[in-house]
Amino acid sequence: DGGITQSPKYLFRKEGQNVTLSCEQNLNHDAMYWYRQDPGQGLRLIYYSQIVNDFQKGDIAEGYSVSREKKESFPLTVTSAQKNPTAFYLCASTPGLAGFDNEQFFGPGTRLTVL
Amino acid sequence: AQRVTQPEKLLSVFKGAPVELKCNYSYSGSPELFWYVQYSRQRLQLLLRHISRESIKGFTADLNKGETSFHLKKPFAQEEDSAMYYCALKNSGSRLTFGEGTQLTVNP
């Protein structure tokens, strides 16, 4: 079950601490995305990157940061400024930038709990 | 602004009954719409896209621009169809806007 991997599967953090969620893909995809999934709210886009060394804010970027130094990696940092960080986080990737094949491939997710 | 609405959070049907999961959207351009599905303990995955006009696992979805809808239908539901379903709208570039999701339960 390769493709996109996320680690860890479960993560606990104390209030006031930053934490970084890992996302790696071996699909040679250009674009990568971070979503959070909350019950009753669907998936909401946090950040996305269409190419290495470039990324854009999504709909709920406040309190989060990302980097895209390598094509295969797109780590997400949840900072202490994020007011409600407990959620299920999903990483995804897409083959092209704006082409026909816009299917997004998803990782297994990381469940973050703030204690 | 782009928006996707799935009015039913929960939907329960009996095996063999028809099922329709509703999706409405608002978008100023020419829409590209998708249905994604998440089975229990599995990853979120693409079910179908309107541009392909395909039927996957017996599901179909027709884009109705007049009603701005993209409802997902299946004439005879199966227990293995129980899952969370998300409707999604492609934005500029490769971004997707997802609806809130509908949890479908097919009872035996």
Side-chain angles (χ1 to χ4, degrees):
Chain A
D1 199 19
I4 302 179
T5 57
Q6 291 184 242
S7 61
K9 188 174 181 179
Y10 298 96
L11 190 56
F12 297 88
R13 148 196 137 178
K14 293 181 180 179
E15 276 194 47
Q17 290 180 337
N18 292 356
V19 63
T20 297
L21 283 61
S22 168
C23 178
E24 304 278 331
Q25 53 99 358
N26 61 4
L27 302 169
N28 200 33
H29 286 175
D30 288 309
M32 297 185 74
Y33 312 78
W34 273 106
Y35 297 90
R36 64 177 281 167
Q37 187 179 26
D38 297 283
Q41 297 193 57
L43 278 72
R44 291 180 292 167
L45 183 65
I46 304 172
Y47 267 97
Y48 65 106
S49 168
Q50 294 186 319
I51 199 167
V52 175
N53 292 323
D54 187 44
F55 50 83
Q56 286 81 38
K57 292 182 179 180
D59 300 317
I60 54 165
E62 185 176 351
Y64 300 98
S65 66
V66 293
S67 63
R68 186 83 188 278
E69 297 176 2
K70 298 186 294 183
K71 187 175 185 178
E72 58 270 23
S73 179
F74 191 41
L76 173 74
T77 297
V78 184
T79 75
S80 56
Q82 167 53 229
K83 296 178 182 177
N84 186 22
T86 294
F88 190 62
Y89 291 86
L90 284 171
C91 181
S93 67
T94 301
L97 296 179
F100 166 78
D101 188 354
N102 292 301
E103 176 179 358
Q104 291 195 6
F105 295 83
F106 285 84
T110 292
R111 184 165 298 281
L112 172 65
T113 302
V114 175
L115 304 171
Chain B
Q2 301 90 346
R3 185 175 173 82
V4 177
T5 304
Q6 293 178 249
E8 302 141 328
K9 285 187 170 53
L10 302 171
L11 185 60
S12 182
V13 301
F14 285 103
K15 178 182 174 181
V19 62
E20 180 179 69
L21 290 83
K22 291 183 167 54
C23 172
N24 290 92
Y25 67 91
S26 61
Y27 186 60
S28 56
S30 183
E32 288 185 47
L33 287 144
F34 306 80
W35 277 98
Y36 280 78
V37 61
Q38 190 170 28
Y39 301 102
S40 179
R41 297 188 189 86
Q42 293 188 29
R43 302 183 185 203
L44 189 64
Q45 58 188 287
L46 178 68
L47 179 62
L48 57 80
R49 65 191 96 192
H50 93 269
I51 198 167
S52 299
R53 302 185 66 81
E54 57 202 345
S55 174
I56 302 294
K57 299 184 179 183
F59 284 98
T60 58
D62 292 319
L63 177 61
N64 187 323
K65 291 186 179 181
E67 296 183 0
T68 59
S69 68
F70 187 55
H71 304 327
L72 184 67
K73 302 177 184 179
K74 185 169 182 177
F76 307 103
Q78 303 299 314
E79 291 182 66
E80 55 266 29
D81 296 329
S82 296
M84 177 68 82
Y85 291 81
Y86 291 99
C87 183
L89 169 69
K90 176 180 172 288
N91 295 326
S92 59
S94 55
R95 290 184 55 172
L96 290 177
T97 296
F98 285 85
E100 305 92 335
T102 298
Q103 178 68 52
L104 173 65
T105 301
V106 181
N107 299 298

Short mmCIF file of all heavy atoms in Angstrom, two decimals, chain B residues 11-19 74-82 104-108:
data_model
loop_
_atom_site.label_atom_id
_atom_site.label_comp_id
_atom_site.label_asym_id
_atom_site.label_seq_id
_atom_site.Cartn_x
_atom_site.Cartn_y
_atom_site.Cartn_z
N LEU B 11 -27.48 9.01 5.74
CA LEU B 11 -28.49 8.43 4.86
C LEU B 11 -28.49 6.92 5.10
O LEU B 11 -27.44 6.28 5.04
CB LEU B 11 -28.16 8.73 3.40
CG LEU B 11 -29.17 8.30 2.35
CD1 LEU B 11 -30.52 8.97 2.59
CD2 LEU B 11 -28.65 8.62 0.95
N SER B 12 -29.67 6.40 5.34
CA SER B 12 -29.78 4.98 5.64
C SER B 12 -30.82 4.35 4.72
O SER B 12 -31.93 4.87 4.60
CB SER B 12 -30.19 4.78 7.11
OG SER B 12 -30.25 3.41 7.43
N VAL B 13 -30.45 3.26 4.04
CA VAL B 13 -31.36 2.55 3.16
C VAL B 13 -31.21 1.06 3.41
O VAL B 13 -30.25 0.61 4.04
CB VAL B 13 -31.08 2.86 1.67
CG1 VAL B 13 -31.21 4.35 1.39
CG2 VAL B 13 -29.71 2.35 1.26
N PHE B 14 -32.17 0.30 2.86
CA PHE B 14 -32.08 -1.15 2.95
C PHE B 14 -31.44 -1.71 1.70
O PHE B 14 -31.52 -1.12 0.61
CB PHE B 14 -33.47 -1.76 3.17
CG PHE B 14 -33.98 -1.58 4.56
CD1 PHE B 14 -34.95 -0.62 4.84
CD2 PHE B 14 -33.51 -2.37 5.60
CE1 PHE B 14 -35.42 -0.46 6.14
CE2 PHE B 14 -33.98 -2.21 6.89
CZ PHE B 14 -34.93 -1.24 7.16
N LYS B 15 -30.80 -2.82 1.85
CA LYS B 15 -30.16 -3.53 0.73
C LYS B 15 -31.18 -3.75 -0.38
O LYS B 15 -32.33 -4.15 -0.12
CB LYS B 15 -29.63 -4.87 1.22
CG LYS B 15 -29.00 -5.73 0.15
CD LYS B 15 -28.55 -7.06 0.75
CE LYS B 15 -28.05 -8.00 -0.32
NZ LYS B 15 -27.64 -9.31 0.26
N GLY B 16 -30.77 -3.44 -1.61
CA GLY B 16 -31.65 -3.62 -2.76
C GLY B 16 -32.48 -2.40 -3.09
O GLY B 16 -33.08 -2.33 -4.17
N ALA B 17 -32.52 -1.43 -2.20
CA ALA B 17 -33.29 -0.21 -2.45
C ALA B 17 -32.45 0.78 -3.25
O ALA B 17 -31.21 0.72 -3.22
CB ALA B 17 -33.71 0.42 -1.12
N PRO B 18 -33.11 1.68 -3.97
CA PRO B 18 -32.34 2.71 -4.68
C PRO B 18 -31.77 3.72 -3.69
O PRO B 18 -32.35 3.96 -2.61
CB PRO B 18 -33.39 3.36 -5.59
CG PRO B 18 -34.68 3.11 -4.89
CD PRO B 18 -34.54 1.79 -4.20
N VAL B 19 -30.67 4.31 -4.07
CA VAL B 19 -30.06 5.32 -3.20
C VAL B 19 -29.63 6.52 -4.04
O VAL B 19 -29.19 6.37 -5.19
CB VAL B 19 -28.84 4.74 -2.43
CG1 VAL B 19 -27.74 4.30 -3.37
CG2 VAL B 19 -28.32 5.74 -1.42
N LYS B 74 -27.61 5.05 -7.33
CA LYS B 74 -27.41 3.62 -7.57
C LYS B 74 -28.77 2.95 -7.45
O LYS B 74 -29.49 3.18 -6.47
CB LYS B 74 -26.43 3.01 -6.57
CG LYS B 74 -26.10 1.55 -6.88
CD LYS B 74 -24.93 1.06 -6.04
CE LYS B 74 -24.58 -0.39 -6.40
NZ LYS B 74 -23.40 -0.89 -5.66
N PRO B 75 -29.16 2.15 -8.43
CA PRO B 75 -30.52 1.60 -8.40
C PRO B 75 -30.75 0.56 -7.31
O PRO B 75 -31.85 0.47 -6.78
CB PRO B 75 -30.68 1.00 -9.80
CG PRO B 75 -29.31 0.80 -10.32
CD PRO B 75 -28.45 1.84 -9.67
N PHE B 76 -29.72 -0.20 -6.97
CA PHE B 76 -29.88 -1.26 -5.97
C PHE B 76 -28.67 -1.23 -5.02
O PHE B 76 -27.59 -1.71 -5.36
CB PHE B 76 -29.97 -2.63 -6.65
CG PHE B 76 -31.02 -2.70 -7.72
CD1 PHE B 76 -30.66 -2.66 -9.06
CD2 PHE B 76 -32.36 -2.80 -7.40
CE1 PHE B 76 -31.62 -2.71 -10.05
CE2 PHE B 76 -33.34 -2.85 -8.38
CZ PHE B 76 -32.97 -2.81 -9.72
N ALA B 77 -28.87 -0.69 -3.86
CA ALA B 77 -27.76 -0.55 -2.90
C ALA B 77 -27.32 -1.90 -2.33
O ALA B 77 -28.15 -2.80 -2.14
CB ALA B 77 -28.18 0.38 -1.77
N GLN B 78 -26.04 -2.01 -2.09
CA GLN B 78 -25.46 -3.20 -1.48
C GLN B 78 -24.83 -2.83 -0.13
O GLN B 78 -24.44 -1.68 0.09
CB GLN B 78 -24.39 -3.80 -2.39
CG GLN B 78 -24.89 -4.16 -3.78
CD GLN B 78 -26.00 -5.20 -3.72
OE1 GLN B 78 -25.91 -6.20 -3.01
NE2 GLN B 78 -27.07 -4.97 -4.48
N GLU B 79 -24.70 -3.81 0.75
CA GLU B 79 -24.13 -3.53 2.07
C GLU B 79 -22.72 -2.96 1.96
O GLU B 79 -22.34 -2.11 2.77
CB GLU B 79 -24.15 -4.80 2.93
CG GLU B 79 -25.54 -5.24 3.34
CD GLU B 79 -25.52 -6.48 4.22
OE1 GLU B 79 -25.01 -6.37 5.34
OE2 GLU B 79 -25.99 -7.53 3.77
N GLU B 80 -21.97 -3.42 0.97
CA GLU B 80 -20.59 -2.94 0.83
C GLU B 80 -20.50 -1.49 0.34
O GLU B 80 -19.42 -0.93 0.26
CB GLU B 80 -19.79 -3.85 -0.11
CG GLU B 80 -20.41 -4.05 -1.48
CD GLU B 80 -21.27 -5.31 -1.54
OE1 GLU B 80 -21.84 -5.71 -0.51
OE2 GLU B 80 -21.39 -5.88 -2.65
N ASP B 81 -21.64 -0.91 0.02
CA ASP B 81 -21.67 0.51 -0.36
C ASP B 81 -21.63 1.42 0.86
O ASP B 81 -21.47 2.64 0.72
CB ASP B 81 -22.92 0.83 -1.18
CG ASP B 81 -22.94 0.10 -2.50
OD1 ASP B 81 -21.86 -0.15 -3.07
OD2 ASP B 81 -24.06 -0.25 -2.96
N SER B 82 -21.80 0.86 2.03
CA SER B 82 -21.76 1.67 3.25
C SER B 82 -20.40 2.36 3.37
O SER B 82 -19.36 1.70 3.37
CB SER B 82 -22.01 0.80 4.48
OG SER B 82 -23.30 0.24 4.45
N LEU B 104 -23.33 7.03 4.31
CA LEU B 104 -24.35 6.10 3.81
C LEU B 104 -24.25 4.79 4.57
O LEU B 104 -23.17 4.20 4.67
CB LEU B 104 -24.16 5.86 2.32
CG LEU B 104 -25.05 4.78 1.70
CD1 LEU B 104 -26.52 5.18 1.75
CD2 LEU B 104 -24.62 4.47 0.26
N THR B 105 -25.38 4.33 5.06
CA THR B 105 -25.47 3.01 5.69
C THR B 105 -26.49 2.19 4.94
O THR B 105 -27.64 2.63 4.77
CB THR B 105 -25.89 3.13 7.17
OG1 THR B 105 -24.94 3.94 7.87
CG2 THR B 105 -25.95 1.75 7.81
N VAL B 106 -26.06 1.02 4.47
CA VAL B 106 -26.97 0.11 3.80
C VAL B 106 -27.25 -1.05 4.74
O VAL B 106 -26.35 -1.81 5.08
CB VAL B 106 -26.38 -0.40 2.48
CG1 VAL B 106 -27.37 -1.34 1.80
CG2 VAL B 106 -26.02 0.77 1.57
N ASN B 107 -28.48 -1.16 5.16
CA ASN B 107 -28.89 -2.18 6.14
C ASN B 107 -29.28 -3.48 5.45
O ASN B 107 -29.85 -3.45 4.36
CB ASN B 107 -30.05 -1.66 6.97
CG ASN B 107 -29.68 -0.41 7.75
OD1 ASN B 107 -28.79 -0.43 8.59
ND2 ASN B 107 -30.36 0.70 7.46
N PRO B 108 -28.99 -4.62 6.08
CA PRO B 108 -29.33 -5.91 5.46
C PRO B 108 -30.83 -6.16 5.43
O PRO B 108 -31.60 -5.51 6.14
CB PRO B 108 -28.62 -6.93 6.35
CG PRO B 108 -28.41 -6.23 7.65
CD PRO B 108 -28.27 -4.77 7.35
#
